[in-house]
Amino acid sequence: MKKRLLWTAVAAVILAIAAMGISGNYMLDYSLSPAPERADTALYYAQLYEQYPATRPWVDSLRRIGALRDTFVTMPTGERHHALYVRNGGQRTAVVLHGWRRCGIDVLFLAQMYEHDMGYNVVVPDLHAHGLSEGDAIGMGWHDRLDVLHWMDIFHTDTMVVHGISMGGATTMMVAGEAPPKEVKQLYFVDDCGYTDVWEEFEGELDKQFGLPPFPVMYVANLLCQWRFGWRFDEASPIHQISHATAPMMFIHGDTDDFVPTEMVHRLYAAKPEPKTLWMTKNTSHAESYKNHEKEYTQRIRAFLK
């Protein structure tokens, strides 16, 4: 009888461990698997033109003169990464970063704002495991910060701005906590609806999508992420990175955002030392501040960069 109870207990423990492993791996794959259509540039352009029709004639005009360039570089990791590059001339360059499971094409409306309206050169990377850049799993901005620094080093000018939306905003903040290329004399950062840290964002989505508490799934997934991909949810922390960032930063967030909850931006703003500015966009959900307030968005960015 005692042996039977012992074996039953052992079996229960094994099943529990297996279940946690399966659920942790499922969460990891759900969160970090690249989009199946990641390399379908025609699809992304079609979506861009539907959402932002004014970008089509701008893109067409750049293509006619050969000014929209596909650029591939080998990162220090050995991966081959892709970016779109528009050279306007001069010593001002914007690096524009897309969101989760999107690609550089998705944020060409911001590239148009910088190039067409403000006269900047623009670099629009496909982040690791997005678009035409290599990578097997999304990095949520953590290792991407080093890739962005590499792009900045390649295309450095006297003045640079890094501007990201959603996961791109989080990446922007993580870049802000690192030393920039020494050639850059003036540096600015714009975070549009980025999260505080990966752990907190995943914890919120776990509750919202599956109704599950963080323990044990988050803890198992965190360990598996370290083992499989070499980073942890708790180290990928924009709020920690910006706590020692010194360059000016502008925070933009929709007041009805529930994907990256609006309250996050207030904690991010509090964590960032001066100089900084915050703009809450009214009646705006996730990643729609430019779409809903295009004219004011452009005016505020222009004023921030003066």
Side-chain angles (χ1 to χ4, degrees):
M1 184 66 176
K2 288 184 178 179
K3 281 188 176 181
R4 184 177 298 174
L5 288 174
L6 177 61
W7 282 111
T8 300
V10 170
V13 170
I14 292 172
L15 286 172
I17 293 172
M20 286 190 291
I22 291 169
S23 61
N25 266 309
Y26 177 81
M27 179 188 173
L28 211 57
D29 291 338
Y30 177 86
S31 305
L32 304 184
S33 292
E37 69 281 4
R38 60 188 277 191
D40 189 349
T41 56
L43 172 65
Y44 283 109
Y45 273 113
Q47 292 173 347
L48 173 73
Y49 297 152
E50 181 180 356
Q51 292 285 316
Y52 302 96
T55 58
R56 183 190 286 270
W58 175 70
V59 169
D60 288 345
S61 67
L62 292 176
R63 284 177 169 163
R64 278 196 298 272
I65 61 174
L68 183 62
R69 305 175 189 174
D70 286 291
T71 304
F72 290 88
V73 303
T74 300
M75 289 291 161
T77 59
E79 291 180 342
R80 190 168 182 257
H81 281 206
H82 169 262
L84 293 167
Y85 176 60
V86 183
R87 178 169 176 77
N88 187 288
Q91 285 296 312
R92 299 187 300 169
T93 299
V95 181
V96 182
L97 306 177
H98 62 80
W100 180 72
R101 281 192 164 185
R102 304 302 299 174
C103 72
I105 294 167
D106 195 57
V107 288
L108 282 177
F109 63 91
L110 288 178
Q112 181 182 23
M113 178 189 74
Y114 279 107
E115 190 277 334
H116 184 267
D117 298 338
M118 301 183 192
Y120 277 64
N121 309 306
V122 189
V123 183
V124 191
D126 289 337
L127 296 175
H128 171 86
H130 291 82
L132 302 180
S133 290
E134 293 181 343
D136 297 326
I138 295 169
M140 300 304 296
W142 182 234
H143 289 163
D144 306 85
R145 79 194 193 285
L146 304 178
D147 297 331
V148 173
L149 286 167
H150 194 63
W151 286 113
M152 292 172 68
D153 192 47
I154 292 170
F155 291 103
H156 65 263
T157 50
D158 290 348
T159 298
M160 298 194 80
V161 54
V162 183
H163 185 148
I165 294 181
S166 192
M167 189 190 81
T171 307
T172 295
M173 290 185 280
M174 288 192 260
V175 172
E178 305 292 333
K182 61 181 182 299
E183 295 87 356
V184 179
K185 296 172 181 157
Q186 287 186 301
L187 182 59
Y188 303 87
F189 293 96
V190 181
D191 157 46
D192 186 334
C193 65
Y195 40 79
T196 50
D197 62 45
V198 172
W199 181 283
E200 189 171 4
E201 179 64 16
F202 281 1
E203 183 179 343
E205 285 301 298
L206 185 65
D207 178 50
K208 187 164 59 177
Q209 298 293 333
F210 303 102
L212 293 174
F215 185 83
V217 177
M218 279 281 295
Y219 292 82
V220 174
N222 193 34
L223 290 172
L224 290 170
C225 190
Q226 173 72 61
W227 177 56
R228 290 174 58 182
F229 307 126
W231 63 278
R232 305 185 315 275
F233 301 162
D234 51 322
E235 70 178 336
S237 177
I239 197 166
H240 171 72
Q241 286 287 100
I242 61 172
S243 68
H244 54 267
T246 57
M249 180 171 289
M250 181 176 185
F251 297 89
I252 302 170
H253 216 106
D255 65 353
T256 61
D257 192 339
D258 61 358
F259 186 70
V260 174
T262 301
E263 62 86 17
M264 284 187 173
V265 75
H266 297 292
R267 287 187 283 131
L268 287 164
Y269 182 77
K272 168 70 173 69
E274 294 285 356
K276 59 187 176 181
T277 186
L278 170 63
W279 177 35
M280 300 296 300
T281 54
K282 295 188 179 301
N283 303 314
T284 298
S285 57
H286 186 64
E288 293 195 335
S289 292
Y290 181 88
K291 186 176 181 181
N292 291 355
H293 308 276
E294 179 180 340
K295 185 176 180 181
E296 186 177 4
Y297 196 110
T298 303
Q299 289 172 341
R300 284 180 177 265
I301 295 294
R302 193 192 304 275
F304 171 67
L305 296 177
K306 281 185 178 178

